[in-house]
Amino acid sequence: MASHDPDPPSPIGGIKAGLGTGHINTASAAQEPIQDYPIERVEQVYRKLDLRIIPAFWVLYFLNSAIRSNIGIAQTMNANVKHDLVSVIGLTPKDVSTALALFYVSYVLFDLPSNLIMSRLSPRVWMARIVIAVGIIGTCFTAVNAAWSLKLLRFLLGVVIAGMWPGMAYYLTLFYPPSRTGKRIGMYFTAAQVSAAVVGLVSAGFQQMDGLGGLVGFRWMFLIYGLLGIILGFGLLWWLPDRPLAPGETREKSWWMKWLPGSPEALTGEDAKVHYHEMRRVYHSRPWTLRDLWFVLLDWRLWPLVLMYFGVVGVGIGTQLYGSVIIASINPSFTGVQVSLLFAPIWIMDLIAILLVTPISDRFHKYRPIFFSAAVCVQIAGLLTVTFALDNQWGRYGGLLLIGFGLGPTVPICMAWTNEIFQKRHREVGVATASALVSGLGNLGSIVTTYALYTGWPEDSAPGPYRYRKSNFVMIGILCMSIASSFVMIALLKVFGNEPSNKITGTDGNDSGEEILDGAARREIHQRGFSRLIK
């Protein structure tokens, strides 16, 4: 609960930016022009938020990605002395693919509930809870000694990590307009790429620890990453800010929050006033109802986005978990350390593409599906190269680098487009629900690639020059589906539009489709393009 001054100070010129509720109708707006803060001043506030939020998100996503994916590299660590994960606990290829897929089964089931809980409770506390729980489960992998325990822990890991990725996207919309989230999602999404590279590189060091203290190399890896995750989770309670308060409000803690450490407000003073003017839609949000949730679930706009995400995340997770296996199949004489070192550059290419493309996609946010489809085409080119360049092992490896480059921008662009569409149409519950469903249902693609392809497809994983060819063809097929879905979405939005839903329930219980026009909403009407590129 919070109390506040319903009419905080206005921006430049003494002209108030709308009514106390944050609603502006177009008729009054036309009669009385509204002055916004200069863009330079707004950019200063966003940069201050960046310093507070993005580094914390980067670190938490780095560690969570490492804990989630290190099972992939564990399959090849110290394989020359039979101290790899598969040999030590006696796994069959089907055991591995089942364990990998079970993570995504629980992730899909719990993604939406987790995100909806976050929107009701403190986002800061819920995010810290996720990271602490992931660290605990990650540490438990150290003791895995049979196929059943590996499968159980992978399922539990999916339960506790569910809601992290869509929750981060939802959290950003509490502080930034959707048109500016693509770059920032990309900024912390690079942590996954660096994590994949570092897991590969650092695994070479863990392999040198093989036998130390009676633990094989991969057990040391599980233990250290898990403990670091627990420490980070508690640190986030002190660092991440809670949802912003309007000028004049004071934060009142519920009974259970009084037992948790506080966190400094994200913005104070003049910065808070500028942000309030820009993001009134956030400050004047209201608790969603089951009726609101129902109308989001019925919105057809979800399904093209889910199919877009299905393809790219399926290929991304498939590459992350089976990339080292594919490299080993290209040249069976590679040692475990060589495979680890060759695995890292795939994700360096991924990182480079994110840093290049996502900032531009924000500046031309009305063309996000074009950026998305172009990146997917690069992935397809890479898969074709890996599949057909049989006489050139380094050419095939170059195909993996292309896959990495194409993967980079696709997930951040898809999530940013989801934010844009659903915040305008369904407000806060739209972002929380749509980001979770796009992430959760889209990860069914991960189940396909981890359970049914590569080592999970015995006929396709048989040694020989055509090993994994059919799996690569399936990946190309789902990528083509992603491209088609993006163009279907463009066409349908042209026909049906994306106006605010008239089914949104107002605070008085009546239907209200009135749009909240704040400073950011007025700016989002136009693309920034390459103007003021230094910002």
Side-chain angles (χ1 to χ4, degrees), residues 2 51 76 94 125 128 152 167 169 191 194 242 251 319 341 350 354-355 419 461 474 477 486:
L51 292 175
T76 60
K94 202 65 176 179
V125 173
L152 174 62
V194 175
D242 260 316
R251 196 178 301 280
T319 304
L341 295 175
D350 196 307
I354 291 171
L355 297 178
N419 287 348
S461 60
V474 173
S486 70

Side-chain angles (χ1 to χ4, degrees), residues 141-187:
F141 273 88
T142 308
V144 69
N145 58 8
W148 71 265
S149 58
L150 180 69
K151 294 172 186 176
L152 174 62
L153 287 174
R154 285 292 294 181
F155 183 85
L156 292 177
L157 184 62
V159 172
V160 298
I161 205 172
M164 183 194 68
W165 173 249
M168 294 166 81
Y170 161 74
Y171 185 95
L172 284 187
T173 62
L174 301 178
F175 297 93
Y176 305 94
S179 64
R180 290 178 178 264
T181 58
K183 169 186 172 181
R184 289 165 174 91
I185 292 173
M187 288 167 69

Side-chain angles (χ1 to χ4, degrees), residues 93-94 97-98 322 449-459 461 468:
K94 202 65 176 179
S97 59
T98 301
Y322 289 117
T449 55
T450 55
Y451 184 74
L453 303 183
Y454 296 103
T455 59
W457 191 345
E459 178 187 347
S461 60
Y468 304 136

